[in-house]
Amino acid sequence: MSTNDHAASPSELRALAEQSNAWPFEQAKQIVARLKKQPKDEVLFETGYGPSGLPHIGTFGEVARTTMVRHAFRVLTEDKIKTRLIAFSDDMDGLRKVPDNVPNKEMLASHLGKPLSRIPDPFSNQYPSFGAHNNARLRAFLDHFGFDYEFASSTDYYTSGKFDAALLRVLERLDAVMAIMLPSLREERAASYSPFLPICPRTGVVLYVPISEHDVKSGTISYDDPETKERVTLPVTGGHCKLQWKPDWAMRWFALGVDYEMAGKDLIDSVKLSGKICAALGGLPPEGFNYELFLDEHGQKISKSKGNGLTIDEWLRYASPESLSLFMYREPKAAKRLYFDVIPRNVDDYQQFLEGFPRQDAKQRLANPVWHIHAGHPPRADMPVTFQLLLTLVSSSNAENAETLWGFIGRYRPGVTPDSHPKLDAMVGYAINYYRDFVAPTKKFREPTASERAALQDLRDALSNLPPASTAEEIQSVVYEIGRRQPFLDPVKKGKDGRPGVSLDWFNMLYQVLLGQEKGPRFGSFVAVYGLANSVAMIDGALARSG
């Protein structure tokens, strides 16, 4: 039970949620409005996954965001309507190319075109197929983050008969489906297009061939085998055929009664087409929105095949899952750079949101990202130092081991230990990894100017005269006062005494000259943790280097 729980009743919480403009509530309101048009006893949320590759950061984002909308819906309906989240794997799809990041590529190449669930596992003999291996990875991935979901396999639904009625409906309304699809296709592809893809009984390959005949009464399609030229007739049911992906998506929405599914911005046209097909089958297309795509450090779209951007494992080497959830919560309809330099901000911003939560009223809490990240019950904040401060400590002391960092922390916050603060202990590890991989290789000390040398000398002397037990605030006041000189004066900002303020150039200079990095945490807090004597020695070293 969270220490931040408050006494708002479900009806009071619902009333506040109805007034909230947080995006999960805005999305959930669409589902509430949908139920007024088509009442149901259960609302189904869905996310899709293509198991030709391993789960990636986009998969996490889609499931995390959908989970937030699902919880918002439960609040808006006082949890009186059952909800389910299905993570659907398209493992009936044919393998089009061999992925770069798998073993036994030659073996996989010999099975190109076959459904992923009918190709041997290239990794080991532990799973019956390549699709089953990746499905297991998906489930372990989702379970690791504690998502509440039900797994569904396309192969299972096709072969078990769960899709049979819907497939027969597609066959029955084939002309309507074709009328929707053909205008979206190039002339060459339109000439041979069929929504039904037979699975060749002879080779097991998913065939992209023209359908010469279809029989609604018998529930079959016929095609000419591209190699033997023989006419083959197959039922559309029982896993003998599958659908092309846009009709497949629409059929799934219709068959399962999906109420909500989001998709990337690159699928806007596909969502529209699939929605029209779903309606042609007699279904109501789901609610949802198209989220923006992630960009790498160069502003290019992240691609699994390119391997640019950031992976889940990479993020979790440097930061907590909660910080990744915050990144996913923020501005889902805005394109965002997903690269290593966004991590520190999201780690510290998560802590700030967590620390601010207890001071907020019930209405404000519903706009706080941690409320949505933790399904209304965020944990108590207990992080004595920031991630940025830890990074700066590692950088200033070259302390690439946890024991040294804990020595600084223990002096700054007596009684705080790895045992008493396991999340801080984890963050210490994250900071060391981040420093080694990104900060250390880019450290570059710049030479101070003559006026900067004079300011540094004055700062050194002022810090030397402070009592050893000086607080971060007392140190910050001294740092600020020493910086109140040219060229660091800020005539726009005024101090509490009405005198000119100090520009960020003063603090940026301290980090560039003393630590070889562009920015850092509040300097007074850093000195308090690092120690006055250590800080004086650091300034002495910088002055000696530039002398």
mmCIF file of all heavy atoms in Angstrom, residues 466-512:
data_model
loop_
_atom_site.group_PDB
_atom_site.id
_atom_site.type_symbol
_atom_site.label_atom_id
_atom_site.label_comp_id
_atom_site.label_asym_id
_atom_site.label_seq_id
_atom_site.Cartn_x
_atom_site.Cartn_y
_atom_site.Cartn_z
ATOM 1 N N LEU A 466 35.149 28.316 4.992
ATOM 2 C CA LEU A 466 33.835 27.871 5.482
ATOM 3 C C LEU A 466 34.006 26.771 6.523
ATOM 4 O O LEU A 466 34.929 25.952 6.425
ATOM 5 C CB LEU A 466 32.988 27.330 4.323
ATOM 6 C CG LEU A 466 32.306 28.352 3.410
ATOM 7 C CD1 LEU A 466 31.609 27.644 2.251
ATOM 8 C CD2 LEU A 466 31.291 29.186 4.202
ATOM 9 N N PRO A 467 33.116 26.720 7.513
ATOM 10 C CA PRO A 467 33.158 25.618 8.485
ATOM 11 C C PRO A 467 32.915 24.282 7.792
ATOM 12 O O PRO A 467 32.131 24.213 6.834
ATOM 13 C CB PRO A 467 32.007 25.949 9.450
ATOM 14 C CG PRO A 467 31.734 27.398 9.236
ATOM 15 C CD PRO A 467 32.062 27.704 7.820
ATOM 16 N N PRO A 468 33.563 23.195 8.225
ATOM 17 C CA PRO A 468 33.403 21.886 7.581
ATOM 18 C C PRO A 468 31.947 21.409 7.522
ATOM 19 O O PRO A 468 31.575 20.675 6.605
ATOM 20 C CB PRO A 468 34.249 20.949 8.453
ATOM 21 C CG PRO A 468 35.251 21.858 9.100
ATOM 22 C CD PRO A 468 34.551 23.165 9.314
ATOM 23 N N ALA A 469 31.126 21.834 8.459
ATOM 24 C CA ALA A 469 29.735 21.358 8.507
ATOM 25 C C ALA A 469 28.773 22.268 7.749
ATOM 26 O O ALA A 469 27.555 22.188 7.934
ATOM 27 C CB ALA A 469 29.283 21.230 9.961
ATOM 28 N N SER A 470 29.291 23.137 6.892
ATOM 29 C CA SER A 470 28.424 24.059 6.145
ATOM 30 C C SER A 470 27.405 23.279 5.296
ATOM 31 O O SER A 470 27.726 22.232 4.718
ATOM 32 C CB SER A 470 29.265 24.953 5.230
ATOM 33 O OG SER A 470 30.125 25.774 5.974
ATOM 34 N N THR A 471 26.202 23.811 5.245
ATOM 35 C CA THR A 471 25.140 23.161 4.470
ATOM 36 C C THR A 471 25.277 23.497 2.985
ATOM 37 O O THR A 471 25.996 24.428 2.594
ATOM 38 C CB THR A 471 23.761 23.621 4.937
ATOM 39 O OG1 THR A 471 23.609 25.024 4.635
ATOM 40 C CG2 THR A 471 23.587 23.386 6.432
ATOM 41 N N ALA A 472 24.555 22.746 2.160
ATOM 42 C CA ALA A 472 24.552 23.000 0.719
ATOM 43 C C ALA A 472 24.071 24.412 0.423
ATOM 44 O O ALA A 472 24.600 25.089 -0.475
ATOM 45 C CB ALA A 472 23.674 21.970 0.013
ATOM 46 N N GLU A 473 23.074 24.890 1.185
ATOM 47 C CA GLU A 473 22.554 26.240 0.959
ATOM 48 C C GLU A 473 23.603 27.296 1.305
ATOM 49 O O GLU A 473 23.757 28.288 0.584
ATOM 50 C CB GLU A 473 21.287 26.456 1.801
ATOM 51 C CG GLU A 473 20.057 25.728 1.291
ATOM 52 C CD GLU A 473 19.655 26.198 -0.104
ATOM 53 O OE1 GLU A 473 19.834 27.394 -0.413
ATOM 54 O OE2 GLU A 473 19.176 25.363 -0.890
ATOM 55 N N GLU A 474 24.307 27.093 2.402
ATOM 56 C CA GLU A 474 25.347 28.051 2.796
ATOM 57 C C GLU A 474 26.469 28.092 1.763
ATOM 58 O O GLU A 474 26.976 29.170 1.417
ATOM 59 C CB GLU A 474 25.895 27.671 4.177
ATOM 60 C CG GLU A 474 24.880 27.893 5.301
ATOM 61 C CD GLU A 474 25.291 27.230 6.605
ATOM 62 O OE1 GLU A 474 26.168 26.326 6.572
ATOM 63 O OE2 GLU A 474 24.742 27.601 7.659
ATOM 64 N N ILE A 475 26.829 26.931 1.264
ATOM 65 C CA ILE A 475 27.880 26.874 0.239
ATOM 66 C C ILE A 475 27.411 27.541 -1.049
ATOM 67 O O ILE A 475 28.136 28.317 -1.674
ATOM 68 C CB ILE A 475 28.280 25.406 -0.029
ATOM 69 C CG1 ILE A 475 28.895 24.791 1.234
ATOM 70 C CG2 ILE A 475 29.256 25.313 -1.197
ATOM 71 C CD1 ILE A 475 29.064 23.284 1.161
ATOM 72 N N GLN A 476 26.158 27.278 -1.416
ATOM 73 C CA GLN A 476 25.618 27.862 -2.643
ATOM 74 C C GLN A 476 25.600 29.393 -2.562
ATOM 75 O O GLN A 476 25.867 30.077 -3.558
ATOM 76 C CB GLN A 476 24.206 27.327 -2.905
ATOM 77 C CG GLN A 476 23.567 27.802 -4.208
ATOM 78 C CD GLN A 476 24.180 27.169 -5.451
ATOM 79 O OE1 GLN A 476 25.023 26.281 -5.358
ATOM 80 N NE2 GLN A 476 23.775 27.649 -6.614
ATOM 81 N N SER A 477 25.305 29.916 -1.390
ATOM 82 C CA SER A 477 25.293 31.377 -1.221
ATOM 83 C C SER A 477 26.677 31.972 -1.463
ATOM 84 O O SER A 477 26.819 33.028 -2.098
ATOM 85 C CB SER A 477 24.811 31.742 0.191
ATOM 86 O OG SER A 477 23.465 31.356 0.370
ATOM 87 N N VAL A 478 27.708 31.285 -0.963
ATOM 88 C CA VAL A 478 29.077 31.749 -1.172
ATOM 89 C C VAL A 478 29.449 31.672 -2.652
ATOM 90 O O VAL A 478 30.030 32.608 -3.217
ATOM 91 C CB VAL A 478 30.056 30.920 -0.308
ATOM 92 C CG1 VAL A 478 31.508 31.203 -0.712
ATOM 93 C CG2 VAL A 478 29.852 31.219 1.162
ATOM 94 N N VAL A 479 29.095 30.534 -3.282
ATOM 95 C CA VAL A 479 29.400 30.365 -4.709
ATOM 96 C C VAL A 479 28.722 31.466 -5.518
ATOM 97 O O VAL A 479 29.322 32.054 -6.430
ATOM 98 C CB VAL A 479 28.942 28.970 -5.199
ATOM 99 C CG1 VAL A 479 29.126 28.835 -6.714
ATOM 100 C CG2 VAL A 479 29.700 27.866 -4.474
ATOM 101 N N TYR A 480 27.490 31.751 -5.163
ATOM 102 C CA TYR A 480 26.719 32.780 -5.878
ATOM 103 C C TYR A 480 27.370 34.157 -5.695
ATOM 104 O O TYR A 480 27.516 34.932 -6.649
ATOM 105 C CB TYR A 480 25.284 32.778 -5.344
ATOM 106 C CG TYR A 480 24.305 33.573 -6.182
ATOM 107 C CD1 TYR A 480 23.649 32.982 -7.261
ATOM 108 C CD2 TYR A 480 24.031 34.904 -5.881
ATOM 109 C CE1 TYR A 480 22.749 33.703 -8.027
ATOM 110 C CE2 TYR A 480 23.140 35.636 -6.636
ATOM 111 C CZ TYR A 480 22.491 35.029 -7.711
ATOM 112 O OH TYR A 480 21.611 35.744 -8.468
ATOM 113 N N GLU A 481 27.785 34.457 -4.480
ATOM 114 C CA GLU A 481 28.359 35.774 -4.188
ATOM 115 C C GLU A 481 29.700 35.961 -4.904
ATOM 116 O O GLU A 481 29.990 37.046 -5.431
ATOM 117 C CB GLU A 481 28.537 35.935 -2.672
ATOM 118 C CG GLU A 481 28.893 37.346 -2.234
ATOM 119 C CD GLU A 481 27.845 38.371 -2.647
ATOM 120 O OE1 GLU A 481 26.629 38.054 -2.589
ATOM 121 O OE2 GLU A 481 28.234 39.490 -3.045
ATOM 122 N N ILE A 482 30.502 34.913 -4.952
ATOM 123 C CA ILE A 482 31.786 35.016 -5.644
ATOM 124 C C ILE A 482 31.562 35.263 -7.144
ATOM 125 O O ILE A 482 32.335 35.967 -7.804
ATOM 126 C CB ILE A 482 32.623 33.733 -5.441
ATOM 127 C CG1 ILE A 482 32.991 33.556 -3.969
ATOM 128 C CG2 ILE A 482 33.880 33.755 -6.313
ATOM 129 C CD1 ILE A 482 33.873 34.648 -3.412
ATOM 130 N N GLY A 483 30.500 34.675 -7.685
ATOM 131 C CA GLY A 483 30.216 34.839 -9.113
ATOM 132 C C GLY A 483 29.600 36.172 -9.468
ATOM 133 O O GLY A 483 29.397 36.469 -10.652
ATOM 134 N N ARG A 484 29.299 36.978 -8.472
ATOM 135 C CA ARG A 484 28.638 38.278 -8.728
ATOM 136 C C ARG A 484 29.699 39.298 -9.146
ATOM 137 O O ARG A 484 30.101 40.168 -8.380
ATOM 138 C CB ARG A 484 27.864 38.712 -7.489
ATOM 139 C CG ARG A 484 27.045 39.973 -7.704
ATOM 140 C CD ARG A 484 26.211 40.276 -6.480
ATOM 141 N NE ARG A 484 24.869 39.725 -6.594
ATOM 142 C CZ ARG A 484 24.084 39.443 -5.564
ATOM 143 N NH1 ARG A 484 24.525 39.610 -4.339
ATOM 144 N NH2 ARG A 484 22.871 38.970 -5.747
ATOM 145 N N ARG A 485 30.174 39.144 -10.359
ATOM 146 C CA ARG A 485 31.214 40.023 -10.911
ATOM 147 C C ARG A 485 31.157 39.884 -12.430
ATOM 148 O O ARG A 485 30.544 38.971 -12.972
ATOM 149 C CB ARG A 485 32.583 39.610 -10.390
ATOM 150 C CG ARG A 485 32.993 38.205 -10.874
ATOM 151 C CD ARG A 485 34.391 37.826 -10.456
ATOM 152 N NE ARG A 485 34.472 37.541 -9.028
ATOM 153 C CZ ARG A 485 35.613 37.423 -8.370
ATOM 154 N NH1 ARG A 485 36.765 37.602 -9.011
ATOM 155 N NH2 ARG A 485 35.624 37.142 -7.091
ATOM 156 N N GLN A 486 31.809 40.767 -13.108
ATOM 157 C CA GLN A 486 31.945 40.633 -14.561
ATOM 158 C C GLN A 486 32.920 39.490 -14.863
ATOM 159 O O GLN A 486 33.898 39.302 -14.125
ATOM 160 C CB GLN A 486 32.466 41.940 -15.173
ATOM 161 C CG GLN A 486 31.500 43.096 -15.092
ATOM 162 C CD GLN A 486 30.257 42.889 -15.942
ATOM 163 O OE1 GLN A 486 30.139 41.898 -16.695
ATOM 164 N NE2 GLN A 486 29.303 43.789 -15.808
ATOM 165 N N PRO A 487 32.693 38.681 -15.867
ATOM 166 C CA PRO A 487 31.632 38.834 -16.882
ATOM 167 C C PRO A 487 30.382 38.014 -16.576
ATOM 168 O O PRO A 487 29.636 37.655 -17.481
ATOM 169 C CB PRO A 487 32.329 38.281 -18.137
ATOM 170 C CG PRO A 487 33.165 37.151 -17.586
ATOM 171 C CD PRO A 487 33.641 37.592 -16.218
ATOM 172 N N PHE A 488 30.151 37.690 -15.303
ATOM 173 C CA PHE A 488 29.074 36.769 -14.959
ATOM 174 C C PHE A 488 27.802 37.447 -14.476
ATOM 175 O O PHE A 488 26.835 36.774 -14.133
ATOM 176 C CB PHE A 488 29.555 35.792 -13.871
ATOM 177 C CG PHE A 488 30.816 35.059 -14.248
ATOM 178 C CD1 PHE A 488 31.973 35.210 -13.491
ATOM 179 C CD2 PHE A 488 30.849 34.244 -15.370
ATOM 180 C CE1 PHE A 488 33.140 34.552 -13.832
ATOM 181 C CE2 PHE A 488 32.021 33.574 -15.711
ATOM 182 C CZ PHE A 488 33.163 33.731 -14.957
ATOM 183 N N LEU A 489 27.796 38.776 -14.400
ATOM 184 C CA LEU A 489 26.602 39.470 -13.922
ATOM 185 C C LEU A 489 25.462 39.332 -14.925
ATOM 186 O O LEU A 489 25.675 39.350 -16.142
ATOM 187 C CB LEU A 489 26.906 40.950 -13.687
ATOM 188 C CG LEU A 489 27.805 41.270 -12.478
ATOM 189 C CD1 LEU A 489 28.054 42.765 -12.417
ATOM 190 C CD2 LEU A 489 27.190 40.765 -11.182
ATOM 191 N N ASP A 490 24.268 39.189 -14.392
ATOM 192 C CA ASP A 490 23.061 39.126 -15.223
ATOM 193 C C ASP A 490 22.187 40.318 -14.849
ATOM 194 O O ASP A 490 21.508 40.295 -13.814
ATOM 195 C CB ASP A 490 22.316 37.808 -14.975
ATOM 196 C CG ASP A 490 21.133 37.615 -15.906
ATOM 197 O OD1 ASP A 490 20.639 38.623 -16.453
ATOM 198 O OD2 ASP A 490 20.697 36.468 -16.094
ATOM 199 N N PRO A 491 22.187 41.370 -15.661
ATOM 200 C CA PRO A 491 21.441 42.577 -15.300
ATOM 201 C C PRO A 491 19.935 42.381 -15.302
ATOM 202 O O PRO A 491 19.198 43.177 -14.726
ATOM 203 C CB PRO A 491 21.871 43.592 -16.373
ATOM 204 C CG PRO A 491 22.302 42.759 -17.538
ATOM 205 C CD PRO A 491 22.889 41.502 -16.960
ATOM 206 N N VAL A 492 19.481 41.336 -15.967
ATOM 207 C CA VAL A 492 18.027 41.092 -16.034
ATOM 208 C C VAL A 492 17.541 40.456 -14.737
ATOM 209 O O VAL A 492 16.552 40.874 -14.137
ATOM 210 C CB VAL A 492 17.690 40.200 -17.240
ATOM 211 C CG1 VAL A 492 16.186 39.887 -17.261
ATOM 212 C CG2 VAL A 492 18.122 40.875 -18.537
ATOM 213 N N LYS A 493 18.259 39.403 -14.313
ATOM 214 C CA LYS A 493 17.880 38.735 -13.063
ATOM 215 C C LYS A 493 18.393 39.551 -11.873
ATOM 216 O O LYS A 493 19.532 40.007 -11.882
ATOM 217 C CB LYS A 493 18.466 37.324 -13.002
ATOM 218 C CG LYS A 493 17.760 36.322 -13.875
ATOM 219 C CD LYS A 493 18.134 34.887 -13.522
ATOM 220 C CE LYS A 493 19.618 34.637 -13.542
ATOM 221 N NZ LYS A 493 19.947 33.206 -13.317
ATOM 222 N N LYS A 494 17.577 39.708 -10.870
ATOM 223 C CA LYS A 494 17.970 40.437 -9.670
ATOM 224 C C LYS A 494 18.052 39.484 -8.480
ATOM 225 O O LYS A 494 17.258 38.552 -8.351
ATOM 226 C CB LYS A 494 16.959 41.551 -9.364
ATOM 227 C CG LYS A 494 16.813 42.601 -10.466
ATOM 228 C CD LYS A 494 18.070 43.456 -10.580
ATOM 229 C CE LYS A 494 17.879 44.564 -11.611
ATOM 230 N NZ LYS A 494 19.100 45.375 -11.786
ATOM 231 N N GLY A 495 19.036 39.746 -7.616
ATOM 232 C CA GLY A 495 19.121 38.992 -6.391
ATOM 233 C C GLY A 495 18.076 39.456 -5.389
ATOM 234 O O GLY A 495 17.357 40.439 -5.616
ATOM 235 N N LYS A 496 17.987 38.759 -4.253
ATOM 236 C CA LYS A 496 17.007 39.126 -3.232
ATOM 237 C C LYS A 496 17.270 40.531 -2.674
ATOM 238 O O LYS A 496 16.356 41.197 -2.186
ATOM 239 C CB LYS A 496 17.034 38.102 -2.094
ATOM 240 C CG LYS A 496 16.563 36.710 -2.522
ATOM 241 C CD LYS A 496 16.633 35.724 -1.361
ATOM 242 C CE LYS A 496 16.184 34.340 -1.795
ATOM 243 N NZ LYS A 496 16.284 33.347 -0.690
ATOM 244 N N ASP A 497 18.532 40.959 -2.756
ATOM 245 C CA ASP A 497 18.882 42.287 -2.251
ATOM 246 C C ASP A 497 18.736 43.370 -3.316
ATOM 247 O O ASP A 497 19.101 44.522 -3.089
ATOM 248 C CB ASP A 497 20.312 42.281 -1.705
ATOM 249 C CG ASP A 497 21.317 41.790 -2.746
ATOM 250 O OD1 ASP A 497 20.915 41.551 -3.903
ATOM 251 O OD2 ASP A 497 22.497 41.632 -2.390
ATOM 252 N N GLY A 498 18.223 42.985 -4.487
ATOM 253 C CA GLY A 498 18.024 43.961 -5.547
ATOM 254 C C GLY A 498 19.233 44.176 -6.422
ATOM 255 O O GLY A 498 19.166 44.892 -7.430
ATOM 256 N N ARG A 499 20.363 43.575 -6.078
ATOM 257 C CA ARG A 499 21.565 43.720 -6.900
ATOM 258 C C ARG A 499 21.474 42.799 -8.112
ATOM 259 O O ARG A 499 20.671 41.857 -8.129
ATOM 260 C CB ARG A 499 22.800 43.379 -6.069
ATOM 261 C CG ARG A 499 23.057 44.373 -4.935
ATOM 262 C CD ARG A 499 23.887 43.740 -3.836
ATOM 263 N NE ARG A 499 25.199 43.301 -4.331
ATOM 264 C CZ ARG A 499 25.970 42.432 -3.688
ATOM 265 N NH1 ARG A 499 25.566 41.912 -2.530
ATOM 266 N NH2 ARG A 499 27.143 42.087 -4.164
ATOM 267 N N PRO A 500 22.294 43.031 -9.142
ATOM 268 C CA PRO A 500 22.257 42.166 -10.332
ATOM 269 C C PRO A 500 22.484 40.706 -9.961
ATOM 270 O O PRO A 500 23.254 40.386 -9.035
ATOM 271 C CB PRO A 500 23.389 42.716 -11.200
ATOM 272 C CG PRO A 500 23.555 44.131 -10.753
ATOM 273 C CD PRO A 500 23.248 44.135 -9.290
ATOM 274 N N GLY A 501 21.810 39.822 -10.693
ATOM 275 C CA GLY A 501 21.963 38.392 -10.447
ATOM 276 C C GLY A 501 23.208 37.834 -11.124
ATOM 277 O O GLY A 501 24.024 38.572 -11.670
ATOM 278 N N VAL A 502 23.337 36.504 -11.066
ATOM 279 C CA VAL A 502 24.488 35.815 -11.643
ATOM 280 C C VAL A 502 23.993 34.925 -12.780
ATOM 281 O O VAL A 502 23.042 34.164 -12.610
ATOM 282 C CB VAL A 502 25.208 34.966 -10.583
ATOM 283 C CG1 VAL A 502 26.388 34.214 -11.210
ATOM 284 C CG2 VAL A 502 25.693 35.849 -9.446
ATOM 285 N N SER A 503 24.642 35.021 -13.923
ATOM 286 C CA SER A 503 24.208 34.240 -15.086
ATOM 287 C C SER A 503 24.653 32.794 -14.963
ATOM 288 O O SER A 503 25.552 32.452 -14.169
ATOM 289 C CB SER A 503 24.771 34.845 -16.370
ATOM 290 O OG SER A 503 26.158 34.573 -16.472
ATOM 291 N N LEU A 504 24.053 31.945 -15.797
ATOM 292 C CA LEU A 504 24.433 30.534 -15.818
ATOM 293 C C LEU A 504 25.866 30.346 -16.305
ATOM 294 O O LEU A 504 26.463 29.288 -16.072
ATOM 295 C CB LEU A 504 23.464 29.747 -16.716
ATOM 296 C CG LEU A 504 22.057 29.505 -16.167
ATOM 297 C CD1 LEU A 504 21.200 28.798 -17.207
ATOM 298 C CD2 LEU A 504 22.114 28.668 -14.891
ATOM 299 N N ASP A 505 26.416 31.367 -16.987
ATOM 300 C CA ASP A 505 27.784 31.243 -17.490
ATOM 301 C C ASP A 505 28.772 30.974 -16.359
ATOM 302 O O ASP A 505 29.780 30.277 -16.557
ATOM 303 C CB ASP A 505 28.191 32.529 -18.218
ATOM 304 C CG ASP A 505 27.414 32.728 -19.510
ATOM 305 O OD1 ASP A 505 26.848 31.745 -20.014
ATOM 306 O OD2 ASP A 505 27.377 33.876 -19.996
ATOM 307 N N TRP A 506 28.506 31.522 -15.184
ATOM 308 C CA TRP A 506 29.378 31.302 -14.021
ATOM 309 C C TRP A 506 29.401 29.823 -13.640
ATOM 310 O O TRP A 506 30.465 29.219 -13.484
ATOM 311 C CB TRP A 506 28.906 32.179 -12.873
ATOM 312 C CG TRP A 506 29.421 31.843 -11.484
ATOM 313 C CD1 TRP A 506 28.666 31.569 -10.398
ATOM 314 C CD2 TRP A 506 30.789 31.798 -11.042
ATOM 315 N NE1 TRP A 506 29.454 31.359 -9.296
ATOM 316 C CE2 TRP A 506 30.780 31.490 -9.663
ATOM 317 C CE3 TRP A 506 32.021 31.984 -11.665
ATOM 318 C CZ2 TRP A 506 31.930 31.361 -8.908
ATOM 319 C CZ3 TRP A 506 33.181 31.855 -10.907
ATOM 320 C CH2 TRP A 506 33.133 31.546 -9.553
ATOM 321 N N PHE A 507 28.223 29.249 -13.531
ATOM 322 C CA PHE A 507 28.139 27.850 -13.111
ATOM 323 C C PHE A 507 28.628 26.921 -14.224
ATOM 324 O O PHE A 507 29.299 25.914 -13.963
ATOM 325 C CB PHE A 507 26.710 27.520 -12.692
ATOM 326 C CG PHE A 507 26.254 28.325 -11.506
ATOM 327 C CD1 PHE A 507 25.463 29.453 -11.683
ATOM 328 C CD2 PHE A 507 26.640 27.989 -10.231
ATOM 329 C CE1 PHE A 507 25.060 30.218 -10.608
ATOM 330 C CE2 PHE A 507 26.253 28.746 -9.130
ATOM 331 C CZ PHE A 507 25.460 29.868 -9.319
ATOM 332 N N ASN A 508 28.304 27.254 -15.481
ATOM 333 C CA ASN A 508 28.798 26.438 -16.588
ATOM 334 C C ASN A 508 30.321 26.453 -16.639
ATOM 335 O O ASN A 508 30.962 25.425 -16.905
ATOM 336 C CB ASN A 508 28.231 26.941 -17.919
ATOM 337 C CG ASN A 508 26.739 26.701 -18.035
ATOM 338 O OD1 ASN A 508 26.178 25.866 -17.318
ATOM 339 N ND2 ASN A 508 26.083 27.421 -18.919
ATOM 340 N N MET A 509 30.922 27.624 -16.361
ATOM 341 C CA MET A 509 32.374 27.713 -16.348
ATOM 342 C C MET A 509 32.960 26.786 -15.282
ATOM 343 O O MET A 509 33.968 26.094 -15.510
ATOM 344 C CB MET A 509 32.806 29.168 -16.079
ATOM 345 C CG MET A 509 34.331 29.374 -16.080
ATOM 346 S SD MET A 509 35.163 29.000 -14.509
ATOM 347 C CE MET A 509 34.596 30.363 -13.485
ATOM 348 N N LEU A 510 32.326 26.731 -14.111
ATOM 349 C CA LEU A 510 32.843 25.875 -13.042
ATOM 350 C C LEU A 510 32.908 24.420 -13.492
ATOM 351 O O LEU A 510 33.906 23.721 -13.240
ATOM 352 C CB LEU A 510 31.958 26.003 -11.793
ATOM 353 C CG LEU A 510 31.963 27.369 -11.085
ATOM 354 C CD1 LEU A 510 30.979 27.365 -9.921
ATOM 355 C CD2 LEU A 510 33.370 27.734 -10.601
ATOM 356 N N TYR A 511 31.868 23.967 -14.179
ATOM 357 C CA TYR A 511 31.848 22.567 -14.611
ATOM 358 C C TYR A 511 32.808 22.328 -15.764
ATOM 359 O O TYR A 511 33.470 21.278 -15.832
ATOM 360 C CB TYR A 511 30.422 22.144 -14.984
ATOM 361 C CG TYR A 511 29.554 21.973 -13.754
ATOM 362 C CD1 TYR A 511 28.601 22.910 -13.414
ATOM 363 C CD2 TYR A 511 29.754 20.890 -12.907
ATOM 364 C CE1 TYR A 511 27.842 22.766 -12.262
ATOM 365 C CE2 TYR A 511 28.997 20.729 -11.759
ATOM 366 C CZ TYR A 511 28.047 21.669 -11.438
ATOM 367 O OH TYR A 511 27.318 21.538 -10.293
ATOM 368 N N GLN A 512 32.910 23.277 -16.667
ATOM 369 C CA GLN A 512 33.798 23.101 -17.826
ATOM 370 C C GLN A 512 35.267 23.122 -17.414
ATOM 371 O O GLN A 512 36.067 22.325 -17.908
ATOM 372 C CB GLN A 512 33.521 24.207 -18.853
ATOM 373 C CG GLN A 512 32.152 24.093 -19.512
ATOM 374 C CD GLN A 512 31.710 25.377 -20.191
ATOM 375 O OE1 GLN A 512 32.483 26.345 -20.282
ATOM 376 N NE2 GLN A 512 30.476 25.414 -20.664
#
